[in-house]
Amino acid sequence: MRHCLFKEIINVILKELNSKLSLHVNNNMVGMNYHLEKLKSLIEIDSNDVRMIRIYGLGGIGKTIISKVVYNNIFYLFESGIFLGDVSERFRHYEGQLKLQKELLNGVIKGTKNMEINSLVEGINVIQQRLCSKKVLLILDDVNNLEQLIFVAGKLGWFGPSSRIIITTRDQRLLKEHKVCGYRGLLA
């Protein structure tokens, strides 16, 4: 009983301190609470397994907004949280691919700035080595190609226990190979 009270107090304090790190989003959209609760049930925050959750649907229906709202509601429960936006656009150029890997690592590993990665393969190796013991919340927004996922979050084993990777995409078939839980119907 006492342990639960301490845990609740710590979570309230962490949420308040981390509110400065929240993503800007207008969360006054109709039906937001419904979608938030639906996604929380897929995320299962108390589960120790690593999970990838896919939010998919047509462009403009609110996938990015709901992923930001979810991030803002749960990121304080993780060692590190990072939102990588516009993945498909940024991935078009080799420099953008490396930049995404660096942004992930710099955002997750405390005390590192401008981590030097010279190739995508090296980036994959560093991500696997450095993140496999960390509880991470990672949002990958607008993924439209399986290769984009492979270079940034290729396998569940790359992340520590209880990590959550949320992927927004327009293509529901894109991530079947990765055992990704799907959610659709946002604002539909």
Side-chain angles (χ1 to χ4, degrees):
M1 172 102 165
R2 197 173 187 182
H3 173 71
C4 291
L5 181 61
F6 284 132
K7 187 175 180 180
E8 190 173 325
I9 291 170
I10 288 169
N11 282 342
V12 168
I13 292 168
L14 285 173
K15 190 172 187 177
E16 186 63 32
L17 289 172
N18 287 330
S19 65
K20 294 176 175 108
L21 303 174
S22 294
L23 300 172
H24 175 72
V25 64
N26 177 5
N27 58 0
N28 294 326
M29 294 176 58
V30 175
M32 185 60 69
N33 288 335
Y34 169 79
H35 296 297
L36 186 59
E37 291 307 313
K38 198 93 157 140
L39 280 166
K40 280 184 176 180
S41 72
L42 285 174
I43 291 168
E44 285 189 65
I45 204 71
D46 293 328
S47 175
N48 287 332
D49 60 340
V50 178
R51 290 186 177 218
M52 286 188 180
I53 296 101
R54 170 187 63 209
I55 302 172
Y56 62 94
L58 297 174
I61 65 167
K63 297 179 298 293
T64 298
I65 291 171
I66 192 71
S67 68
K68 286 181 176 182
V69 170
V70 168
Y71 178 93
N72 288 343
N73 276 267
I74 66 172
F75 79 98
Y76 67 94
L77 299 169
F78 295 82
E79 287 179 58
S80 294
I82 186 154
F83 182 94
L84 297 177
D86 298 319
V87 171
S88 62
E89 181 63 34
R90 295 166 66 190
F91 202 81
R92 290 180 190 210
H93 307 286
Y94 185 76
E95 297 80 26
Q97 296 168 18
L98 284 173
K99 198 171 186 178
L100 279 169
Q101 288 181 332
K102 289 176 185 180
E103 191 176 333
L104 171 59
L105 289 164
N106 291 333
V108 171
I109 301 169
K110 307 285 188 239
T112 58
K113 295 286 185 219
N114 301 324
M115 182 173 282
E116 192 59 38
I117 299 171
N118 298 310
S119 73
L120 293 173
V121 173
E122 180 184 357
I124 288 171
N125 291 333
V126 174
I127 290 168
Q128 289 175 8
Q129 293 167 1
R130 298 285 186 94
L131 304 186
C132 66
S133 63
K134 294 199 176 290
K135 182 180 177 182
V136 174
L137 173 62
L138 170 61
I139 311 281
L140 297 171
D141 181 49
D142 192 26
V143 174
N144 68 4
N145 183 310
L146 189 57
E147 193 174 52
Q148 297 161 1
L149 181 63
I150 290 169
F151 286 119
V152 181
K155 295 185 180 176
L156 297 175
W158 291 14
F159 302 92
S162 301
S163 290
R164 299 296 183 265
I165 298 92
I166 299 174
I167 302 144
T168 70
T169 184
R170 293 179 184 188
D171 186 355
Q172 67 176 324
R173 296 168 293 165
L174 182 67
L175 307 172
K176 283 185 180 178
E177 298 172 27
H178 282 272
K179 299 179 184 172
V180 179
C181 298
Y183 179 69
R184 71 176 177 97
L186 293 173
L187 311 173

